[in-house]
Amino acid sequence: MALPDEPRAPGEPGRPGEPRDWTDGHVARWQPVLPGLDPVVEGAVTRMKKLSVHLRRVREQSLVDFDLERHEFDTLHKLAGRGGSAAPSELAQDLDLAPASVSGRLDALEKRGFVRRTQSTTDRRRVVVELTGTGRQTWLGAMDVLGHEEYRILGVLSPEERNQLNDLLRRIMVEAESVENARHWD
């Protein structure tokens, strides 16, 4: 719960005439319990958390819809991010996994027809992992579900408001990432 440096006079959540959401009720419940609660900070932080949970649920449902395990999607995603082709060691680095773990993932993805491993044409000792057409389609399908939901939600804002929101969130993240012992944000 966010407590301000200086107490604010509690106000009605949201602007007059705007629909109320779950968080408005949450803030209203907690203000009598915590009189110093800043309703704006509490509302913003709670909404960011709830939005993150909502998008995670949509992503998880898209994985179910496309018959993908989370680790399979992550591997396809990292491979797609490298243009659809990478060495297993590059994928291990991107996924922050031991090479043996990546090898097991690639075995399973290869059996499903999502990736293929071939020898490098420049160095026969090197193996190249490539995203197959089926792998790319499956990855894109799962990505599209989340992308459509993101556009649906942010579609309530004008292009200028989306830019403003993006800029404001960037400022917040710069501050969050500036903490000396900040965690790795990938």
Side-chain angles (χ1 to χ4, degrees), residues 60-61 72 130 145:
E60 295 305 320
Q61 184 58 53
E72 291 174 320
E130 296 174 328
V145 170

Side-chain angles (χ1 to χ4, degrees), residues 2-69:
L3 294 174
D5 292 334
E6 298 177 19
R8 289 189 189 183
E12 183 66 26
R15 294 184 201 136
E18 281 189 354
R20 291 174 51 91
D21 66 1
W22 180 92
T23 300
D24 290 323
H26 164 80
V27 170
R29 271 190 311 278
W30 281 100
Q31 277 190 294
V33 177
L34 297 168
L37 180 71
D38 183 330
V40 173
V41 172
E42 180 65 18
V45 169
T46 301
R47 285 182 178 95
M48 285 188 283
K49 287 181 196 174
K50 289 193 71 66
L51 181 58
S52 179
V53 167
H54 171 75
L55 292 174
R56 187 178 320 115
R57 285 181 184 148
V58 170
R59 182 183 60 229
E60 295 305 320
Q61 184 58 53
S62 76
L63 297 181
V64 169
D65 293 346
F66 284 88
D67 192 27
L68 283 172
E69 297 292 328

Side-chain angles (χ1 to χ4, degrees), residues 3-162:
L3 294 174
D5 292 334
E6 298 177 19
R8 289 189 189 183
E12 183 66 26
R15 294 184 201 136
E18 281 189 354
R20 291 174 51 91
D21 66 1
W22 180 92
T23 300
D24 290 323
H26 164 80
V27 170
R29 271 190 311 278
W30 281 100
Q31 277 190 294
V33 177
L34 297 168
L37 180 71
D38 183 330
V40 173
V41 172
E42 180 65 18
V45 169
T46 301
R47 285 182 178 95
M48 285 188 283
K49 287 181 196 174
K50 289 193 71 66
L51 181 58
S52 179
V53 167
H54 171 75
L55 292 174
R56 187 178 320 115
R57 285 181 184 148
V58 170
R59 182 183 60 229
E60 295 305 320
Q61 184 58 53
S62 76
L63 297 181
V64 169
D65 293 346
F66 284 88
D67 192 27
L68 283 172
E69 297 292 328
R70 180 78 181 135
H71 66 276
E72 291 174 320
F73 175 82
D74 290 344
T75 306
L76 295 175
H77 188 71
K78 295 297 185 182
L79 185 56
R82 285 191 169 267
S85 178
S89 60
E90 293 169 325
L91 290 174
Q93 181 180 358
D94 291 350
L95 293 163
D96 196 24
L97 293 172
S101 297
V102 171
S103 184
R105 285 185 182 196
L106 294 175
D107 288 344
L109 289 170
E110 195 168 35
K111 285 179 186 169
R112 295 190 67 188
F114 294 155
V115 301
R116 71 175 148 264
R117 288 183 270 201
T118 59
Q119 284 187 326
S120 168
T121 56
T122 58
D123 183 350
R124 292 182 47 84
R125 296 169 295 173
R126 182 182 153 128
V127 172
V128 176
V129 181
E130 296 174 328
L131 200 55
T132 65
T134 301
R136 182 174 299 284
Q137 282 182 313
T138 302
W139 169 74
L140 281 173
M143 288 287 293
D144 282 348
V145 170
L146 183 57
H148 287 299
E149 182 63 4
E150 291 168 348
Y151 278 102
R152 183 189 75 79
I153 291 170
L154 291 175
V156 302
L157 303 176
S158 69
E160 295 80 21
E161 289 171 323
R162 288 192 296 268

